[in-house]
Amino acid sequence: MKRLKRALSCLLLYALLGGALAVPASALSDVPEDFWAKEDIDRCVALRYFYPESDGSFGVGKEMSRAEFVVVLCRCLGWKPTSPARAVYEDVPEKEWYAGAVETAYHQGAITSQDGSFRPNDPVTRSEAASMLVRALGYGSIAGLIQDMSLPFRDVKANNGYIVMAYGLGLMDGASVTAFSPGGHVTREQAAAILMRLHDKLHEPTTSRIGIAVAAEGLPELAGYEAVGVAAAKLAYNGEPQVSLFMGKPESQAICAAASAAGAKSLLYITGGAYHVREGESEKLAEVLFQAVEEGGYDGLFLDVTGLTAVSQRDTLTAAAQTLREKLGERSLYIAVEAPSWKGTIFGYDYAALGEAADRLVLRFDYKKTTAGGQAMAPMEPLEQIYYALNRLRGVVDADKLTLRLTSTGSIWEGREPEFLTGEEIAALAAERTTRSHYSDRYACAYLVRENAPDVWYLNGQAIRERIQLARLFGGGHLCLSDLNHTLPEVLEAMP
């Protein structure tokens, strides 16, 4: 089916181009019908990432130069070459056909200048291609952090982090099971395959967005949301598991009505902690959760249990989820879990089993206070943590089920716990004369610097788009906003 969709896309592109290409991709003289890269080549030519050679061939087997690879990468990413070009490398004359693309790639961070030269005519190596790809996506800092991460290839001695990412994101394969061949050269057909993988991942549509509603008043437009979690209850324990409702029925029904009118499902959002998940009580836990959904007339359950660290808690939650899957039938089951972190294994969640039981496995990235130069920092869902979690869960949980929970309010660290700010409060602080707005490329997170006051961290539109891109590169792209009622307008606008 996917190949059929791609073929239809190519036909559409050919029609739109109206014969503008000198040689139609289907007529390339050196690309047989059964050639392994024919589909990628045809699509690349249709999209004008590549142009045929003057003799009507594609140039199969021809090694690409560093300049040529930069040019096709810019085309794939939609980067317009600088014109007129200015010299940023001593060996790239301003009037060369590739000079504008090289300058653009340099300013976008895809290539660097260490000794002042670019070596434009040298064949681009597989290691260099991996580095350019990762840098072009804005993940150079993550590549530096993961340079010690293991690879199945025995021949990688340098640029490890970049190769880990290019391989882990599915953009480049190994030359064999145990070798990456970092010094090997990239041919035109290999580059076409790489670019089409990148294109498909970046243009894969996000198929769902979810939000948690904390009140009926102040809800945004819900059209386009797959589901709305109604934050109406929490787990309690009084000798056995219980569900405690803290939102009045008229208000919860008003949220459900708004969701239904927009075509979204209404899920009972229930929170809890390790205290509520006890060994041997999975059946009771599942029953009280199911009854709460039944009695409230919801379309399903959104369960968010935090702080699980023990194997016994993991097994209890897993068994309860499997029972709930059976009880709920056609109704939805969303489960939030603490994402795998750099610090090591989280024993409280069986990601594979929960991913099997749930319709969506929502990854939560808890706030952790860190200091840099003595200043408290509280970036929301740092991009590097999202990468690590998605990479750890690749092949463990269906990527189409993984959902990122994004904090749609701001935070300030003043004591042991963060203080949360609404979107309205963030906007008001940003408008103050003494406040300066900044954006951390390292964490892909916005923050406000104020005089004699802690910084305010929050996700803005750019931060949301960066998280969407990373999720799409892993084959997912589902998002969950933590608080629909108090979200910045630019965050709502950035949601796909």
Side-chain angles (χ1 to χ4, degrees), residues 282-463:
S282 61
E283 289 291 335
K284 291 180 180 178
L285 178 60
E287 180 60 28
V288 298
L289 291 169
F290 174 71
Q291 287 301 321
V293 172
E294 278 274 284
E295 293 169 7
Y298 291 95
D299 299 317
L301 172 68
F302 189 163
L303 181 61
D304 188 352
V305 181
T306 63
L308 304 188
T309 57
V311 172
S312 60
Q313 294 169 338
R314 177 199 68 192
D315 295 343
T316 299
L317 179 63
T318 300
Q322 292 167 339
T323 301
L324 278 165
R325 176 70 283 161
E326 296 178 6
K327 286 179 172 290
L328 288 169
E330 295 299 315
R331 282 175 285 192
S332 298
L333 175 61
Y334 293 11
I335 299 176
V337 296
E338 292 177 31
S341 70
W342 294 96
K343 294 186 298 185
T345 303
I346 296 177
F347 296 101
Y349 303 93
D350 185 333
Y351 299 109
L354 292 176
E356 280 288 322
D359 295 289
R360 299 276 179 237
L361 194 67
V362 182
L363 301 180
R364 185 175 3 85
F365 300 83
D366 291 335
Y367 299 96
K368 298 298 180 185
K369 182 177 179 180
T370 58
T371 58
Q375 185 178 18
M377 299 175 63
M380 272 78 170
E381 293 85 39
L383 210 61
E384 62 200 45
Q385 295 289 349
I386 294 176
Y387 170 81
Y388 181 79
L390 292 176
N391 189 61
R392 277 276 303 273
L393 296 177
R394 184 165 53 94
V396 176
V397 178
D398 182 355
D400 195 44
K401 289 188 175 185
L402 289 174
T403 302
L404 302 181
R405 183 184 187 274
L406 302 181
T407 305
S408 51
T409 54
S411 74
I412 300 174
W413 280 96
E414 289 190 287
R416 295 177 61 85
E417 297 295 331
E419 174 189 346
F420 297 100
L421 284 77
T422 66
E424 295 88 345
E425 291 170 330
I426 295 171
L429 287 175
E432 291 182 359
R433 184 176 57 82
T434 57
T435 300
R436 289 172 292 142
S437 299
H438 296 274
Y439 189 84
S440 168
D441 292 327
R442 160 72 184 275
Y443 299 111
C445 192
Y447 63 101
L448 303 176
V449 176
R450 302 173 296 156
E451 291 183 357
N452 303 316
D455 294 348
V456 177
W457 289 81
Y458 63 102
L459 300 181
N460 61 3
Q462 179 181 349

Side-chain angles (χ1 to χ4, degrees), residues 172-246:
M172 297 183 70
D173 296 324
S176 69
V177 175
T178 58
F180 184 77
S181 187
H185 298 158
V186 178
T187 63
R188 283 172 61 86
E189 66 271 21
Q190 290 169 346
I194 291 169
L195 292 187
M196 291 321 303
R197 291 173 188 171
L198 177 60
H199 172 91
D200 289 344
K201 287 176 179 292
L202 292 180
H203 293 84
E204 185 74 24
T206 299
T207 54
S208 77
R209 45 178 160 153
I210 307 159
I212 299 170
V214 299
E217 184 180 357
L219 280 176
E221 171 60 50
L222 297 177
Y225 282 81
E226 176 187 90
V228 175
V230 183
K234 61 183 178 181
L235 285 172
Y237 194 87
N238 187 17
E240 59 181 24
Q242 296 179 340
V243 171
S244 174
L245 297 174
F246 55 81

Side-chain angles (χ1 to χ4, degrees), residues 52-300:
E53 302 279 79
S54 58
D55 62 356
S57 67
F58 178 73
V60 170
K62 180 181 177 182
E63 294 178 348
M64 295 201 75
S65 69
R66 286 168 53 83
E68 289 169 334
F69 190 79
V70 163
V71 169
V72 296
L73 182 59
C74 285
R75 290 172 183 166
C76 180
L77 294 173
W79 294 348
K80 186 177 180 180
T82 303
S83 181
R86 293 162 295 182
V88 291
Y89 294 98
E90 59 187 21
D91 56 354
V92 178
E94 295 176 357
K95 293 185 178 180
E96 285 289 349
W97 66 273
Y98 51 79
V102 170
E103 182 183 351
T104 294
Y106 173 78
H107 289 303
Q108 291 284 355
I111 53 179
T112 60
S113 177
Q114 295 180 343
D115 60 4
S117 63
F118 177 65
R119 298 180 289 108
N121 298 316
D122 285 3
V124 65
T125 68
R126 287 170 54 79
S127 176
E128 290 169 342
S131 296
M132 290 183 195
L133 285 166
V134 172
R135 286 184 178 276
L137 291 168
Y139 303 144
S141 62
I142 298 178
L145 292 171
I146 63 172
Q147 60 184 341
D148 294 327
M149 192 174 286
S150 62
L151 271 169
F153 311 122
R154 301 171 184 171
D155 58 347
V156 177
K157 307 299 181 183
N159 281 347
N160 191 76
Y162 295 101
I163 294 172
V164 165
M165 290 201 75
Y167 174 70
L169 293 174
L171 300 176
M172 297 183 70
D173 296 324
S176 69
V177 175
T178 58
F180 184 77
S181 187
H185 298 158
V186 178
T187 63
R188 283 172 61 86
E189 66 271 21
Q190 290 169 346
I194 291 169
L195 292 187
M196 291 321 303
R197 291 173 188 171
L198 177 60
H199 172 91
D200 289 344
K201 287 176 179 292
L202 292 180
H203 293 84
E204 185 74 24
T206 299
T207 54
S208 77
R209 45 178 160 153
I210 307 159
I212 299 170
V214 299
E217 184 180 357
L219 280 176
E221 171 60 50
L222 297 177
Y225 282 81
E226 176 187 90
V228 175
V230 183
K234 61 183 178 181
L235 285 172
Y237 194 87
N238 187 17
E240 59 181 24
Q242 296 179 340
V243 171
S244 174
L245 297 174
F246 55 81
M247 180 184 289
K249 195 166 186 179
E251 185 162 28
S252 62
Q253 288 180 334
I255 298 173
C256 292
S260 179
K265 294 176 288 189
S266 300
L267 310 180
L268 177 57
Y269 179 70
I270 299 180
T271 58
Y275 178 77
H276 306 114
V277 181
R278 304 194 178 204
E279 187 174 2
E281 294 189 347
S282 61
E283 289 291 335
K284 291 180 180 178
L285 178 60
E287 180 60 28
V288 298
L289 291 169
F290 174 71
Q291 287 301 321
V293 172
E294 278 274 284
E295 293 169 7
Y298 291 95
D299 299 317

